[in-house]
């Protein structure tokens, strides 16, 4: 069965960086794209970017360009999301999810989420 | 901020029908981009509920249906059940600024 398993919760100081991992299993890793979506406490879903698991190409919305880097390791079927220059506004649950295509697609499987808390 | 607008909340008694609207624009829903819907139960990750405007993944009850018209879409839940109490989000693709997936503002469904 398809599974996306994310790394555990993180607590970071303002200005620091955080790396979250998302390990895929149950399907051919390189045939799908992986997205990152976050949800601040009590708020809605916000798309943060996408990576081509096969070639490694990425796309990010303007809001996160320069602050988010998504990479992948095909040998372990794992995707990583680095978010830098953290502020309290980055406190949120972060989800990875997969899609079959790069554009105009849906996210059919989601990870369980990783809570990132930014606090001094 | 979300570019797809949903009502903050809807409610209904068990067995009733409720609908959730999702309003976009000519750069997202108004294009050939499909609309998809997700259900998020309290404390859990979102789950795909409807894909491609009106298709249900395997295992989703036929009480859930959806449609798209012009720059809007809607999700209907018929025969409302207590287990349907959750947040619901629409999602589409916006072609105005490169690759851009967009979500709705979210709707809380309460079962009275």
């Amino acid at each position: 069965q398809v599974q996306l398993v994310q790394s555990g919760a993180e607590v970071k100081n303002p200005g620091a960086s955080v790396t979250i991992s998302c390990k895929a299993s149950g399907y051919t890793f390189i045939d799908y794209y992986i997205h990152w979506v976050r949800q601040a406490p009590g708020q809605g879903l916000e798309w943060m970017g996408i990576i081509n698991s096969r070639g490694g190409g990425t796309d990010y919305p303007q809001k996160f360009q320069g602050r988010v880097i998504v990479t992948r390791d095909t040998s372990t079927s794992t995707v990583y999301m680095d978010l830098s220059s953290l502020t309290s506004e980055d406190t949120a649950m972060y989800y990875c999810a997969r899609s079959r295509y790069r554009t105009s697609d849906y996210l059919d499987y989601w990870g369980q989420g990783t809570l990132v808390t930014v606090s001094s | 901020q979300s570019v797809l607008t949903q009502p903050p909340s809807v409610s209904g008694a068990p067995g009733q029908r409720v609908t959730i609207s999702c309003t976009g624009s000519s750069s997202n829903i108004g294009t050939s981009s499909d609309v998809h819907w997700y259900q998020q139960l309290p404390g859990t990750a979102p789950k795909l509920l409807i894909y491609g405007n009106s298709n249900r993944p395997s295992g989703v009850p036929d009480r859930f249906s959806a449609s798209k018209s012009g720059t809007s879409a809607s999700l209907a839940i018929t025969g409302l059940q207590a287990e349907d109490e959750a947040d619901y989000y629409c999602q589409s693709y916006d072609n105005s600024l490169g690759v851009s997936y967009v979500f709705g503002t979210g709707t809380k469904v309460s079962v009275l």
Side-chain angles (χ1 to χ4, degrees), chain A residues 33-74:
Chain A
Y33 293 76
I34 294 291
H35 301 248
W36 288 93
V37 177
R38 76 177 183 180
Q39 185 172 37
Q43 302 301 307
L45 302 173
E46 182 174 33
W47 184 72
M48 298 181 68
I50 182 175
I51 186 167
N52 180 342
S53 302
R54 181 183 297 271
T58 54
D59 293 285
Y60 310 113
Q62 189 170 6
K63 174 177 180 177
F64 293 106
Q65 286 181 6
R67 212 160 67 89
V68 170
I69 299 175
V70 179
T71 57
R72 95 282 186 236
D73 181 343
T74 57

Side-chain angles (χ1 to χ4, degrees), chain B residues 47-60:
Chain B
K47 167 193 163 188
L48 180 66
L49 190 68
I50 297 285
Y51 68 94
N53 302 318
S54 59
N55 302 293
R56 288 185 307 276
S58 174
V60 173

